[in-house]
Amino acid sequence: MPTTTDNAMLLQYCEEHRADMLDVLKRMVELESPSDNKAAVDHLGEYLAQQFESLGGKVTFFPQETCGAHLKVDFRGDGGKPVLLLGHFDTVWPLGTLKTMPFRVENGRAFGPGVYDMKAGITMMIFALRALRTAGRPESSVSSLCRPITVLLDTDEEVGSTTGRPVVEATAKDCEAVLVLEPSQSLKGQLKTARKGVGDYTIRVRGRASHAGVDFEKGHSAVIELSRQVLEIAKFTDVARGITVNPGVIHGGTRTNVVAAEAVAEVDIRIARAADADELEKKFTSLRPVDPNCTVEISGGLNRPPMERTEGTVRLFRLTQEQGKLMGMTLDEASTGGGSDGNFTSALGIPTLDGLGAVGEGAHASNESIILEELPRRAALLAALIRSL
Ligand SMILES: [Zn+2]
């Protein structure tokens, strides 16, 4: 059983390497990596592979045609199933964002595109591994004191993990537990023990166009029909049950003097419980036009199942709390409506704890930043958690 002294050593190591952590983070942020720029993402992937390889990891790339190669790194251990450190290294920020949002340190924070979501989290992985290596036998494999460790970083998480998902699932299914280094919740840094499931639907209505002045009666307005459908789906929301339906985008019609032939709504859905998925799906697919001269076409569905607060997840959270306490940290949990790759691993039944990454704010926003003081602390917490598993 790890002791206060063991954890204090991990913390001391990380605190002493705070400047190195900042260097690595800066380098990562300055290697911009928008999900849709394969070359840029691959470039960062090479840098990360070097970092992990220098710690004794065995690197595997999963090359992709349209996005960057996903990166997996395996570290040997003392036996048992591996623990998976999960994350992504793509960001929502287009190439060139650095010109207006450069990496900078100010008032105890680091700013820059992707710094919070989730390059600081990857930095923590690297330094947690380094700390464990130092705490063990420096010349040996990094995880000589614990289970094998697998790091998996995918490259299309911010655009739905279409190609990342199968790699994440295939890797996670053989693991003991999954630790997700996505940002923590709020400036309090809560760990995430539940995430909603996320999906989207497209509702496409086709009516009949006509001249709004000459032939008004001959027309069947897709805009009016879509409006009816939007009001109908709004009723699917049940906040108390954690179900939300948001028709975030609608468009349709061509000109004011034309009865609209076509209109489309794009809808975001969230569910807290997997058990609600089928019913919601049925509601969407049962939508029928009120005007029989219009057609309603529904496509889409759930793409991330919910990460529910399972027993396994709670056990991981309690363990993290204990380990944090040994280092003087008080840790709370929270749930969020946002999805991550942790949703996939949790849905497979693998105990998953999310939000172990940076403390900060402004994901996907121009004030994206992390609290620097927490960077070494969270890295040490991760190291302690890995060792206690
Ligand atoms: Zn993220």
Side-chain angles (χ1 to χ4, degrees), residues 267-332:
V267 186
D268 173 288
I269 60 155
R270 312 265 159 168
I271 56 170
R273 281 182 291 266
D276 290 329
D278 287 349
E279 193 186 326
L280 191 59
E281 165 82 12
K282 214 166 136 199
K283 283 181 173 173
F284 269 95
T285 53
S286 305
L287 289 171
R288 296 288 176 268
V290 175
D291 178 345
N293 291 291
C294 292
T295 61
V296 175
E297 185 189 308
I298 309 289
S299 56
L302 196 68
N303 48 40
R304 283 185 204 273
M307 170 181 152
E308 298 192 43
R309 190 177 179 276
T310 62
E311 235 170 80
T313 294
V314 171
R315 217 175 338 109
L316 278 179
F317 169 64
R318 300 265 179 257
L319 193 58
T320 313
Q321 267 188 321
E322 278 168 31
Q323 293 303 316
K325 209 169 166 192
L326 294 173
M327 291 183 279
M329 299 167 73
T330 309
L331 295 160
D332 286 319

Side-chain angles (χ1 to χ4, degrees), residues 110-128:
F111 293 79
V115 69
Y116 177 56
D117 185 8
M118 53 161 279
K119 291 180 175 179
I122 300 173
T123 306
M124 289 169 192
M125 291 181 190
I126 294 168
F127 282 81

Side-chain angles (χ1 to χ4, degrees), residues 88 90 116-118 157-158 182-183 195 339-340 364:
H88 63 89
D90 60 323
Y116 177 56
D117 185 8
M118 53 161 279
E157 196 273 347
E158 294 290 6
E182 287 275 1
R195 285 181 179 273
S340 85
H364 306 188

Side-chain angles (χ1 to χ4, degrees), residues 18-31 44 47 51 103-105 109-124 126-127 358 369-372 375:
R18 194 197 271 226
D20 297 337
M21 290 187 83
L22 201 56
D23 284 346
V24 169
L25 180 59
K26 178 173 192 283
R27 186 74 199 277
M28 285 181 61
V29 171
E30 291 182 345
L31 289 168
L44 175 56
Y47 171 74
Q51 289 289 318
F103 180 86
R104 69 178 208 280
V105 172
R109 291 192 183 200
F111 293 79
V115 69
Y116 177 56
D117 185 8
M118 53 161 279
K119 291 180 175 179
I122 300 173
T123 306
M124 289 169 192
I126 294 168
F127 282 81
S369 56
I370 64 157
I371 311 279
L372 278 176
L375 192 62

Side-chain angles (χ1 to χ4, degrees), residues 27 68 89 109 113 129 154 215 275 284 287 312 318 335 338 354 357:
R27 186 74 199 277
F89 59 100
R109 291 192 183 200
L129 289 163
D154 66 1
D215 278 327
F284 269 95
L287 289 171
R318 300 265 179 257
S335 63
D354 207 330

